[in-house]
């Protein structure tokens, strides 16, 4: 990797809001490359940015520069879902690998105009290696299929793409830790960069936080359009939350949110976001 390529790659990740790069396992250890300094050049034309970037490279050299570049994929045109999955491999980059059965990468139409992002796999997903196949997943399927049907849109669950912020099941279905989100989030960002959907629906606060750095709760954010790298993002409630019997009001709201998203993405001819 030459100087210029490294600079471009670090700049790309900095632009995505990533400050730390986590490298694959080697010799039983998880190697962590801190590129915070390298990714934050001081202002000014001759800022020493390249030297800092090179220092970051030096610190990861023992790992294997091929593994290093596997995480970097600055040119979205050259990246692909297959390549991302290949780079993920039998991932051991964080503690979530310890209890997982299967990595849940994502499923659905790889050319989808709409991507749903959940939090992380549950027990059923961990067993099958597919996202949203348990109870919450069945509700999500119903929500997509029934809303589209009612609204006269020819869309079904198989037409969209579904994935999660973390690809391995957190033990006991706990919320993913910030470092787990940061590590795995790099793959999510690449998935979205490759797919370039017309819109993203963030299911629950973990997905909203991963995509939007949200500090507000999901109740405040839902129902309104936000943006991730110029792609409209609609945060809404997570289907697991809607399964609780006392959240019936939220269910109605989530249906409204989904209606907006489906119409924005699938109405023909397309209408501007401001219409929704
Ligand atoms: N909950 C999620 O957030 N994702 C899944 O895949 C299943 C349940």
């Amino acid at each position: 990797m030459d100087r210029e390529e490294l600079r471009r790659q670090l700049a790309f990740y900095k632009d995505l809001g990533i400050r730390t790069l986590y490298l694959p396992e080697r010799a039983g250890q998880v190697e962590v490359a801190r590129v915070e300094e390298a990714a934050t050049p001081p202002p000014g034309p001759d800022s020493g940015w390249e030297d800092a970037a090179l220092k970051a490279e030096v610190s990861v050299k023992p790992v294997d520069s091929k593994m290093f570049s596997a995480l970097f994929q600055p040119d979205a045109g050259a990246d692909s879902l297959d390549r991302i999955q290949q780079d993920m491999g039998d991932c051991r980059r964080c503690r979530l690998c310890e209890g997982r059965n299967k990595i849940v990468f994502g499923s659905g139409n790889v050319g989808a105009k709409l991507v749903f992002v959940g939090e992380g796999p549950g027990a059923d997903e961990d067993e099958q290696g597919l996202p949203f196949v348990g109870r919450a997943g069945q509700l999500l399927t119903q929500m997509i299929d029934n809303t589209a049907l009612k609204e006269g849109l020819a869309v079904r669950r198989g037409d969209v793409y579904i994935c999660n912020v973390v690809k391995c099941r957190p033990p006991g279905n706990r919320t993913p830790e910030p470092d787990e989100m940061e590590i795995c989030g790099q793959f999510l960002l690449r998935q979205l960069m490759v797919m370039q959907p017309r819109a993203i629906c963030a299911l629950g606060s973990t997905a909203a936080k991963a995509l939007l750095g949200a500090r507000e709760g999901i109740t405040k954010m839902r129902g309104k359009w936000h943006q991730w790298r110029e792609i409209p993002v609609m945060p809404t409630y997570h289907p697991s939350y809607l399964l609780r019997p006392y959240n019936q009001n939220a269910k109605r709201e989530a249906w409204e949110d989904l209606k907006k998203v489906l119409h924005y993405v699938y109405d023909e001819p397309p209408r501007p976001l401001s219409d929704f």
Side-chain angles (χ1 to χ4, degrees):
M1 187 186 299
D2 68 21
R3 234 176 141 88
E4 175 52 24
E5 199 183 342
L6 180 66
R7 192 198 59 74
R8 265 193 312 118
Q9 290 177 335
L10 290 173
F12 169 76
Y13 270 88
K14 177 176 172 273
D15 198 29
L16 290 180
I18 291 169
R19 302 173 66 85
T20 312
L21 292 169
Y22 296 81
L23 300 174
E25 183 189 61
R26 186 172 162 103
Q29 267 191 339
V30 176
E31 301 270 357
V32 180
R34 295 219 159 259
V35 293
E36 233 163 273
E37 271 177 43
T40 316
D46 187 16
S47 60
W49 144 265
E50 285 188 348
D51 287 342
L54 283 175
K55 247 189 257 154
E57 190 195 32
V58 168
S59 76
V60 299
K61 267 225 169 100
V63 175
D64 180 338
S65 63
K66 267 204 206 102
M67 285 182 172
F68 185 43
S69 45
L71 253 184
F72 285 126
Q73 198 45 254
D75 179 1
D79 207 1
S80 70
L81 294 182
D82 282 348
R83 167 101 201 245
I84 299 165
Q85 202 160 6
Q86 213 180 358
D87 289 347
M88 191 174 265
D90 180 32
C91 187
R92 309 246 144 224
R93 293 172 179 85
C94 84
R95 65 187 83 77
L96 292 184
C97 69
E98 288 159 20
R100 68 146 190 260
N101 284 305
K102 289 194 175 149
I103 294 179
V104 180
F105 183 72
S107 77
N109 175 5
V110 296
K113 291 198 279 180
L114 175 58
V115 175
F116 287 85
V117 179
E119 176 174 303
D124 296 302
E125 290 78 18
D126 175 64
E127 206 179 292
Q128 297 185 42
L130 293 168
F132 283 98
V133 289
R135 277 186 72 218
Q138 285 160 21
L139 177 59
L140 180 62
T141 306
Q142 274 177 24
M143 288 170 69
I144 297 169
D145 290 0
N146 297 347
T147 308
L149 195 67
K150 228 170 158 179
E151 297 296 311
L153 298 164
V155 186
R156 297 297 174 266
R157 174 176 167 151
D159 298 311
V160 306
Y161 189 82
I162 303 179
C163 57
N164 285 302
V165 175
V166 296
K167 316 297 191 200
C168 296
R169 182 191 182 199
N173 297 340
R174 65 159 168 76
T175 305
E177 300 286 348
D179 64 327
E180 297 158 357
M181 285 170 61
E182 197 188 343
I183 295 166
C184 220
Q186 298 180 27
F187 296 107
L188 171 66
L189 303 187
R190 277 176 64 188
Q191 284 175 299
L192 297 171
M193 292 287 288
V194 166
M195 296 191 70
Q196 291 289 317
R198 185 159 157 82
I200 299 166
C201 184
L203 301 168
S205 54
T206 299
K209 203 178 277 174
L211 292 171
L212 306 168
R215 273 187 227 129
E216 286 179 308
I218 194 72
T219 314
K220 284 237 169 97
M221 298 188 76
R222 62 143 289 274
K224 288 178 271 200
W225 290 106
H226 302 253
Q227 274 203 345
W228 179 80
R229 291 183 73 85
E230 293 175 20
I231 300 176
V233 177
M234 174 62 71
T236 192
Y237 295 112
H238 192 286
S240 302
Y241 177 75
L242 303 174
L243 282 170
R244 300 176 200 158
Y246 44 86
N247 290 336
Q248 293 313 296
N249 253 347
K251 218 167 171 172
R252 261 191 300 280
E253 289 173 332
W255 250 265
E256 286 307 310
D257 301 343
L258 190 56
K259 233 161 70 177
K260 265 192 212 176
V261 174
L262 291 174
H263 277 294
Y264 170 64
V265 174
Y266 293 103
D267 271 4
E268 282 300 339
R271 288 191 284 144
L273 193 63
S274 52
D275 279 11
F276 301 90

